[in-house]
């Protein structure tokens, strides 16, 4: 039985031919993403802003009556609230920022809102799917911990690659990871999907996936640097990328199939997580080729970086051999 090959063995794509264009597009995308985060901000979930989130499904209508629901909740005078569609058109999330951390007060507010919804929208089949409450102090700690986890994960990965390869590889990997994370932030600022702890988990997963793909390429680059010491660096990077392309395509394709199924028919509560993972799948594979590799070229990585240094014993043996070879009979 003949094995299926998505990438032929003789594939020879000149990836780095477009490195300058790709780097320019990537830098512009990073700037645009940072601008979107600064201007539009992130739609932070209750995990990070505190308060409560009530998920409601209207079973008997095709679309949720968002405007009417917003007016009725405002009439309760319970403070600032945000009502958005959540998952399907007939699903909404009601997010409310509450002052204070008194559990009884929070439960009382929750009870008033849920009772109003189930009573006033019984004809539309209103159903409470879930209620999440987070105090302001806890949400602040969660936000701080989430930011620290992302930063420390990226720095630890860069240090690991530095020791395993060379400092140039660590710097290239760190920039590639920064690229992936910033573009994901920009995506959530653009779409205004809810940014919660699930998305932090998705970002950490994206970092891990991108790192795995980058290390596979770097490992082949290191092998080829020792094998082809006189080969041009750009040609060697293209060769290494082509040699690992089959593995990258197969891994990405299998993950993409699972993610597309979750995007199309998965529960709404993990939609943001799945969307982040799908985006990370593409930007992670892209950054391994067009972010990390060009930086290796610009930092002057070459075969000399991986030529083993001779020990004193090796030098003595070489001198002895030279002396024996040069002695006259």
């Amino acid at each position: 039985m003949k094995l299926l090959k998505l990438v032929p063995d003789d594939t020879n794509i000149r990836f780095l031919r477009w490195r300058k264009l790709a780097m320019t597009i990537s830098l512009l995308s990073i700037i645009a993403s940072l601008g979107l985060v600064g201007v539009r901000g992130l739609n932070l979930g209750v995990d990070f802003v505190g308060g409560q989130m009530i998920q409601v499904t209207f079973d008997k209508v095709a679309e949720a009556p968002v405007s009417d629901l917003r007016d009725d909740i405002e009439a309760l005078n319970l403070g600032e609230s945000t009502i958005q569609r959540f998952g399907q058109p007939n699903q909404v999330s009601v997010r409310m920022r509450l002052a204070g951390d008194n559990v009884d007060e929070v439960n009382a507010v929750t009870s008033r809102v849920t009772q109003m919804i189930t009573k006033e929208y019984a004809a539309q089949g209103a159903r409470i799917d879930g209620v999440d409450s987070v105090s302001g102090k806890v949400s602040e700690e969660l936000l701080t911990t989430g930011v620290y986890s992302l930063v420390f994960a990226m720095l630890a990965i860069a240090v690991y690659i530095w020791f395993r390869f060379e400092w140039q590889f660590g710097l290239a990997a760190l920039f590639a990871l920064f690229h992936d994370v910033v573009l994901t932030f920009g995506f959530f600022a653009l779409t205004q999907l809810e940014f919660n702890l699930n998305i932090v988990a998705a970002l950490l997963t994206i970092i891990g996936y991108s790192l795995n793909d980058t290390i596979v390429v770097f490992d082949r680059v290191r092998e080829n640097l020792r094998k082809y010491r006189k080969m041009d660096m750009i040609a060697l990077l293209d060769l290494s990328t082509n040699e690992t392309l089959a593995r990258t395509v197969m891994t990405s394709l299998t993950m993409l199939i699972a993610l597309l199924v979750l995007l199309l028919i998965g529960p709404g509560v993990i939609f943001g997580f799945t969307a982040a993972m799908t985006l990370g799948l593409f930007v992670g594979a892209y950054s391994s080729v067009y972010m990390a590799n060009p930086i290796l070229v610009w930092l002057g990585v070459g075969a000399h970086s991986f030529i083993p240094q001779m020990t004193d014993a090796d030098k003595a043996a070489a001198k002895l051999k030279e002396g024996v070879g040069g002695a006259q009979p």
Side-chain angles (χ1 to χ4, degrees):
M1 180 178 177
K2 188 176 181 180
L3 297 177
L4 174 64
K5 288 189 176 182
L6 299 178
V7 179
D9 293 333
D10 58 348
T11 301
N12 185 24
I13 303 174
R14 296 175 58 189
F15 290 101
L16 293 189
R17 171 196 288 180
W18 303 287
R19 66 186 184 281
K20 294 182 179 179
L21 175 62
M23 184 62 75
T24 301
I25 294 175
S26 297
L27 291 176
L28 291 176
S29 299
I30 290 174
I31 295 173
S33 297
L34 293 175
L36 282 170
V37 173
V39 174
R40 301 195 62 179
L42 296 171
N43 180 23
L44 297 177
V46 175
D47 296 336
F48 295 140
V49 297
Q52 64 178 187
M53 181 175 69
I54 304 172
Q55 300 173 16
V56 187
T57 299
F58 297 86
D59 290 326
K60 298 181 180 180
V61 293
E63 292 189 6
V66 176
S67 59
D68 293 339
L69 183 60
R70 182 178 291 111
D71 293 339
D72 289 338
I73 291 179
E74 289 180 355
L76 296 176
N77 295 321
L78 298 175
E80 182 183 354
S81 63
T82 303
I83 295 92
Q84 294 179 323
R85 283 189 170 85
F86 180 81
Q88 302 300 322
N90 66 333
Q91 295 177 319
V92 296
S93 66
V94 181
R95 294 192 300 131
M96 307 185 66
R97 301 186 181 185
L98 305 177
D101 296 333
N102 188 291
V103 176
D104 293 334
E105 292 181 1
V106 172
N107 291 336
V109 171
T110 302
S111 178
R112 288 186 61 186
V113 175
T114 54
Q115 288 178 8
M116 183 275 294
I117 293 175
T118 53
K119 179 181 179 181
E120 298 295 331
Y121 296 90
Q124 289 88 348
R127 184 185 75 241
I128 306 299
D129 292 332
V131 178
D132 295 323
S133 298
V134 180
S135 69
K137 182 178 180 180
V138 172
S139 64
E140 183 178 351
E141 292 177 354
L142 290 174
L143 180 60
T144 303
T145 304
V147 172
Y148 284 162
S149 65
L150 291 174
V151 173
F152 290 151
M154 293 173 62
L155 292 177
I157 286 169
V159 172
Y160 164 73
I161 295 179
W162 181 352
F163 281 100
R164 179 172 175 178
F165 297 95
E166 294 286 338
W167 67 268
Q168 297 96 328
F169 287 80
L171 186 61
L174 181 61
F175 187 81
L177 295 177
F178 175 78
H179 165 270
D180 300 343
V181 171
V182 170
L183 260 61
T184 305
F185 273 107
F187 169 76
F188 277 88
L190 177 64
T191 60
Q192 287 297 293
L193 288 172
E194 184 176 291
F195 193 93
N196 51 33
L197 281 177
N198 288 337
I199 310 306
V200 175
L203 286 170
L204 291 172
T205 308
I206 290 170
I207 289 174
Y209 172 80
S210 179
L211 169 68
N212 182 58
D213 198 42
T214 302
I215 284 184
V216 169
V217 177
F218 280 180
D219 201 52
R220 187 55 58 91
V221 169
R222 180 172 58 178
E223 292 177 4
N224 287 334
L225 280 171
R226 291 169 173 170
K227 187 177 180 180
Y228 306 107
R229 296 184 177 181
K230 295 184 179 181
M231 181 181 288
D232 178 73
M233 188 59 188
I234 294 177
L236 188 142
L237 290 172
D238 282 336
L239 173 65
S240 302
T241 304
N242 281 287
E243 289 178 344
T244 58
L245 188 60
R247 178 260 177 206
T248 299
V249 171
M250 182 60 69
T251 303
S252 300
L253 184 60
T254 52
M255 287 187 61
L256 182 61
I257 292 173
L259 290 171
L260 287 178
V261 172
L262 290 175
L263 276 176
L264 296 175
I265 62 176
V269 69
I270 63 169
F271 181 82
F273 175 87
T274 310
M277 286 295 299
T278 304
L279 174 66
L281 190 67
F282 289 99
V283 298
Y286 168 85
S287 64
S288 298
V289 178
Y290 286 112
M291 289 286 95
N293 283 349
I295 291 177
L296 294 181
V297 177
W298 295 329
L299 292 178
V301 174
H304 63 278
S305 301
F306 292 93
I307 297 176
Q309 296 295 323
M310 295 181 65
T311 64
D312 293 338
D314 292 333
K315 293 178 180 179
K319 289 182 178 180
L320 180 61
K321 183 177 180 181
E322 182 180 355
V324 172
Q328 297 296 326

PDB file of all heavy atoms in Angstrom, residues 117-137:
ATOM      1  N   ILE A 117     -35.591  38.122  33.529  1.00  0.00           N
ATOM      2  CA  ILE A 117     -35.448  37.566  32.183  1.00  0.00           C
ATOM      3  C   ILE A 117     -36.413  36.403  31.968  1.00  0.00           C
ATOM      4  O   ILE A 117     -37.115  36.332  30.951  1.00  0.00           O
ATOM      5  CB  ILE A 117     -33.988  37.110  31.956  1.00  0.00           C
ATOM      6  CG1 ILE A 117     -33.061  38.323  31.928  1.00  0.00           C
ATOM      7  CG2 ILE A 117     -33.874  36.324  30.640  1.00  0.00           C
ATOM      8  CD1 ILE A 117     -31.585  37.961  31.819  1.00  0.00           C
ATOM      9  N   THR A 118     -36.448  35.469  32.910  1.00  0.00           N
ATOM     10  CA  THR A 118     -37.315  34.305  32.744  1.00  0.00           C
ATOM     11  C   THR A 118     -38.797  34.680  32.750  1.00  0.00           C
ATOM     12  O   THR A 118     -39.623  34.016  32.106  1.00  0.00           O
ATOM     13  CB  THR A 118     -37.052  33.274  33.853  1.00  0.00           C
ATOM     14  OG1 THR A 118     -37.158  33.911  35.136  1.00  0.00           O
ATOM     15  CG2 THR A 118     -35.662  32.682  33.693  1.00  0.00           C
ATOM     16  N   LYS A 119     -39.166  35.758  33.464  1.00  0.00           N
ATOM     17  CA  LYS A 119     -40.565  36.175  33.523  1.00  0.00           C
ATOM     18  C   LYS A 119     -40.966  36.991  32.291  1.00  0.00           C
ATOM     19  O   LYS A 119     -41.989  36.698  31.652  1.00  0.00           O
ATOM     20  CB  LYS A 119     -40.801  36.999  34.792  1.00  0.00           C
ATOM     21  CG  LYS A 119     -42.234  37.517  34.935  1.00  0.00           C
ATOM     22  CD  LYS A 119     -42.394  38.340  36.208  1.00  0.00           C
ATOM     23  CE  LYS A 119     -43.819  38.875  36.328  1.00  0.00           C
ATOM     24  NZ  LYS A 119     -43.986  39.699  37.568  1.00  0.00           N
ATOM     25  N   GLU A 120     -40.163  38.011  31.959  1.00  0.00           N
ATOM     26  CA  GLU A 120     -40.521  38.912  30.872  1.00  0.00           C
ATOM     27  C   GLU A 120     -40.345  38.281  29.490  1.00  0.00           C
ATOM     28  O   GLU A 120     -40.999  38.696  28.529  1.00  0.00           O
ATOM     29  CB  GLU A 120     -39.690  40.195  30.953  1.00  0.00           C
ATOM     30  CG  GLU A 120     -39.898  41.001  32.213  1.00  0.00           C
ATOM     31  CD  GLU A 120     -41.319  41.560  32.304  1.00  0.00           C
ATOM     32  OE1 GLU A 120     -41.944  41.800  31.242  1.00  0.00           O
ATOM     33  OE2 GLU A 120     -41.811  41.727  33.438  1.00  0.00           O
ATOM     34  N   TYR A 121     -39.497  37.294  29.382  1.00  0.00           N
ATOM     35  CA  TYR A 121     -39.210  36.707  28.065  1.00  0.00           C
ATOM     36  C   TYR A 121     -39.565  35.219  28.028  1.00  0.00           C
ATOM     37  O   TYR A 121     -38.953  34.430  27.306  1.00  0.00           O
ATOM     38  CB  TYR A 121     -37.724  36.898  27.721  1.00  0.00           C
ATOM     39  CG  TYR A 121     -37.343  38.350  27.570  1.00  0.00           C
ATOM     40  CD1 TYR A 121     -36.894  39.079  28.668  1.00  0.00           C
ATOM     41  CD2 TYR A 121     -37.463  38.996  26.350  1.00  0.00           C
ATOM     42  CE1 TYR A 121     -36.564  40.416  28.548  1.00  0.00           C
ATOM     43  CE2 TYR A 121     -37.140  40.333  26.219  1.00  0.00           C
ATOM     44  CZ  TYR A 121     -36.687  41.039  27.325  1.00  0.00           C
ATOM     45  OH  TYR A 121     -36.372  42.372  27.188  1.00  0.00           O
ATOM     46  N   ALA A 122     -40.583  34.864  28.798  1.00  0.00           N
ATOM     47  CA  ALA A 122     -41.043  33.477  28.778  1.00  0.00           C
ATOM     48  C   ALA A 122     -41.592  33.100  27.405  1.00  0.00           C
ATOM     49  O   ALA A 122     -41.427  31.960  26.947  1.00  0.00           O
ATOM     50  CB  ALA A 122     -42.107  33.266  29.862  1.00  0.00           C
ATOM     51  N   ALA A 123     -42.264  34.058  26.728  1.00  0.00           N
ATOM     52  CA  ALA A 123     -42.823  33.773  25.399  1.00  0.00           C
ATOM     53  C   ALA A 123     -41.738  33.484  24.374  1.00  0.00           C
ATOM     54  O   ALA A 123     -41.973  32.770  23.391  1.00  0.00           O
ATOM     55  CB  ALA A 123     -43.680  34.948  24.934  1.00  0.00           C
ATOM     56  N   GLN A 124     -40.539  34.037  24.574  1.00  0.00           N
ATOM     57  CA  GLN A 124     -39.412  33.773  23.668  1.00  0.00           C
ATOM     58  C   GLN A 124     -38.604  32.544  24.089  1.00  0.00           C
ATOM     59  O   GLN A 124     -37.592  32.242  23.472  1.00  0.00           O
ATOM     60  CB  GLN A 124     -38.483  34.996  23.606  1.00  0.00           C
ATOM     61  CG  GLN A 124     -39.085  36.183  22.857  1.00  0.00           C
ATOM     62  CD  GLN A 124     -39.895  37.079  23.777  1.00  0.00           C
ATOM     63  OE1 GLN A 124     -40.189  36.712  24.919  1.00  0.00           O
ATOM     64  NE2 GLN A 124     -40.292  38.240  23.282  1.00  0.00           N
ATOM     65  N   GLY A 125     -39.048  31.866  25.140  1.00  0.00           N
ATOM     66  CA  GLY A 125     -38.346  30.659  25.582  1.00  0.00           C
ATOM     67  C   GLY A 125     -37.025  30.957  26.260  1.00  0.00           C
ATOM     68  O   GLY A 125     -36.049  30.201  26.079  1.00  0.00           O
ATOM     69  N   ALA A 126     -36.969  32.028  27.062  1.00  0.00           N
ATOM     70  CA  ALA A 126     -35.714  32.398  27.721  1.00  0.00           C
ATOM     71  C   ALA A 126     -35.271  31.307  28.695  1.00  0.00           C
ATOM     72  O   ALA A 126     -36.062  30.840  29.533  1.00  0.00           O
ATOM     73  CB  ALA A 126     -35.877  33.726  28.450  1.00  0.00           C
ATOM     74  N   ARG A 127     -34.009  30.916  28.588  1.00  0.00           N
ATOM     75  CA  ARG A 127     -33.439  29.881  29.462  1.00  0.00           C
ATOM     76  C   ARG A 127     -32.079  30.338  29.967  1.00  0.00           C
ATOM     77  O   ARG A 127     -31.222  30.739  29.183  1.00  0.00           O
ATOM     78  CB  ARG A 127     -33.285  28.572  28.686  1.00  0.00           C
ATOM     79  CG  ARG A 127     -32.784  27.415  29.551  1.00  0.00           C
ATOM     80  CD  ARG A 127     -32.524  26.154  28.725  1.00  0.00           C
ATOM     81  NE  ARG A 127     -31.298  26.260  27.951  1.00  0.00           N
ATOM     82  CZ  ARG A 127     -31.233  26.196  26.621  1.00  0.00           C
ATOM     83  NH1 ARG A 127     -32.341  26.051  25.913  1.00  0.00           N
ATOM     84  NH2 ARG A 127     -30.072  26.293  25.997  1.00  0.00           N
ATOM     85  N   ILE A 128     -31.866  30.285  31.268  1.00  0.00           N
ATOM     86  CA  ILE A 128     -30.586  30.674  31.859  1.00  0.00           C
ATOM     87  C   ILE A 128     -29.624  29.497  31.740  1.00  0.00           C
ATOM     88  O   ILE A 128     -29.851  28.435  32.332  1.00  0.00           O
ATOM     89  CB  ILE A 128     -30.752  31.085  33.336  1.00  0.00           C
ATOM     90  CG1 ILE A 128     -31.825  32.175  33.481  1.00  0.00           C
ATOM     91  CG2 ILE A 128     -29.415  31.553  33.898  1.00  0.00           C
ATOM     92  CD1 ILE A 128     -31.517  33.450  32.732  1.00  0.00           C
ATOM     93  N   ASP A 129     -28.561  29.679  30.974  1.00  0.00           N
ATOM     94  CA  ASP A 129     -27.594  28.597  30.745  1.00  0.00           C
ATOM     95  C   ASP A 129     -26.484  28.553  31.787  1.00  0.00           C
ATOM     96  O   ASP A 129     -25.883  27.502  32.028  1.00  0.00           O
ATOM     97  CB  ASP A 129     -26.963  28.719  29.357  1.00  0.00           C
ATOM     98  CG  ASP A 129     -27.975  28.458  28.256  1.00  0.00           C
ATOM     99  OD1 ASP A 129     -28.935  27.709  28.511  1.00  0.00           O
ATOM    100  OD2 ASP A 129     -27.811  28.998  27.152  1.00  0.00           O
ATOM    101  N   GLY A 130     -26.191  29.687  32.380  1.00  0.00           N
ATOM    102  CA  GLY A 130     -25.114  29.701  33.369  1.00  0.00           C
ATOM    103  C   GLY A 130     -24.911  31.080  33.938  1.00  0.00           C
ATOM    104  O   GLY A 130     -25.245  32.096  33.319  1.00  0.00           O
ATOM    105  N   VAL A 131     -24.374  31.128  35.158  1.00  0.00           N
ATOM    106  CA  VAL A 131     -24.072  32.388  35.840  1.00  0.00           C
ATOM    107  C   VAL A 131     -22.671  32.282  36.426  1.00  0.00           C
ATOM    108  O   VAL A 131     -22.375  31.344  37.164  1.00  0.00           O
ATOM    109  CB  VAL A 131     -25.092  32.683  36.954  1.00  0.00           C
ATOM    110  CG1 VAL A 131     -24.713  33.975  37.678  1.00  0.00           C
ATOM    111  CG2 VAL A 131     -26.500  32.780  36.394  1.00  0.00           C
ATOM    112  N   ASP A 132     -21.805  33.233  36.078  1.00  0.00           N
ATOM    113  CA  ASP A 132     -20.443  33.278  36.613  1.00  0.00           C
ATOM    114  C   ASP A 132     -20.257  34.591  37.366  1.00  0.00           C
ATOM    115  O   ASP A 132     -20.568  35.655  36.827  1.00  0.00           O
ATOM    116  CB  ASP A 132     -19.397  33.183  35.499  1.00  0.00           C
ATOM    117  CG  ASP A 132     -19.445  31.837  34.797  1.00  0.00           C
ATOM    118  OD1 ASP A 132     -19.680  30.834  35.494  1.00  0.00           O
ATOM    119  OD2 ASP A 132     -19.252  31.801  33.572  1.00  0.00           O
ATOM    120  N   SER A 133     -19.735  34.505  38.562  1.00  0.00           N
ATOM    121  CA  SER A 133     -19.480  35.697  39.374  1.00  0.00           C
ATOM    122  C   SER A 133     -18.035  35.702  39.832  1.00  0.00           C
ATOM    123  O   SER A 133     -17.515  34.670  40.276  1.00  0.00           O
ATOM    124  CB  SER A 133     -20.412  35.735  40.594  1.00  0.00           C
ATOM    125  OG  SER A 133     -21.763  35.798  40.191  1.00  0.00           O
ATOM    126  N   VAL A 134     -17.382  36.869  39.711  1.00  0.00           N
ATOM    127  CA  VAL A 134     -15.985  37.029  40.131  1.00  0.00           C
ATOM    128  C   VAL A 134     -15.860  38.367  40.842  1.00  0.00           C
ATOM    129  O   VAL A 134     -16.315  39.394  40.334  1.00  0.00           O
ATOM    130  CB  VAL A 134     -15.011  36.980  38.939  1.00  0.00           C
ATOM    131  CG1 VAL A 134     -13.585  37.148  39.424  1.00  0.00           C
ATOM    132  CG2 VAL A 134     -15.158  35.671  38.176  1.00  0.00           C
ATOM    133  N   SER A 135     -15.226  38.369  42.019  1.00  0.00           N
ATOM    134  CA  SER A 135     -15.039  39.621  42.751  1.00  0.00           C
ATOM    135  C   SER A 135     -13.969  40.476  42.083  1.00  0.00           C
ATOM    136  O   SER A 135     -13.144  39.979  41.314  1.00  0.00           O
ATOM    137  CB  SER A 135     -14.638  39.329  44.197  1.00  0.00           C
ATOM    138  OG  SER A 135     -13.335  38.771  44.241  1.00  0.00           O
ATOM    139  N   GLY A 136     -13.989  41.776  42.386  1.00  0.00           N
ATOM    140  CA  GLY A 136     -13.028  42.683  41.775  1.00  0.00           C
ATOM    141  C   GLY A 136     -11.595  42.356  42.133  1.00  0.00           C
ATOM    142  O   GLY A 136     -10.694  42.434  41.302  1.00  0.00           O
ATOM    143  N   LYS A 137     -11.353  41.975  43.405  1.00  0.00           N
ATOM    144  CA  LYS A 137     -10.000  41.653  43.840  1.00  0.00           C
ATOM    145  C   LYS A 137      -9.474  40.414  43.120  1.00  0.00           C
ATOM    146  O   LYS A 137      -8.326  40.371  42.656  1.00  0.00           O
ATOM    147  CB  LYS A 137      -9.985  41.427  45.349  1.00  0.00           C
ATOM    148  CG  LYS A 137      -8.601  41.131  45.913  1.00  0.00           C
ATOM    149  CD  LYS A 137      -8.650  40.962  47.419  1.00  0.00           C
ATOM    150  CE  LYS A 137      -7.251  40.657  47.961  1.00  0.00           C
ATOM    151  NZ  LYS A 137      -7.281  40.490  49.438  1.00  0.00           N
TER     152      LYS A 137
END
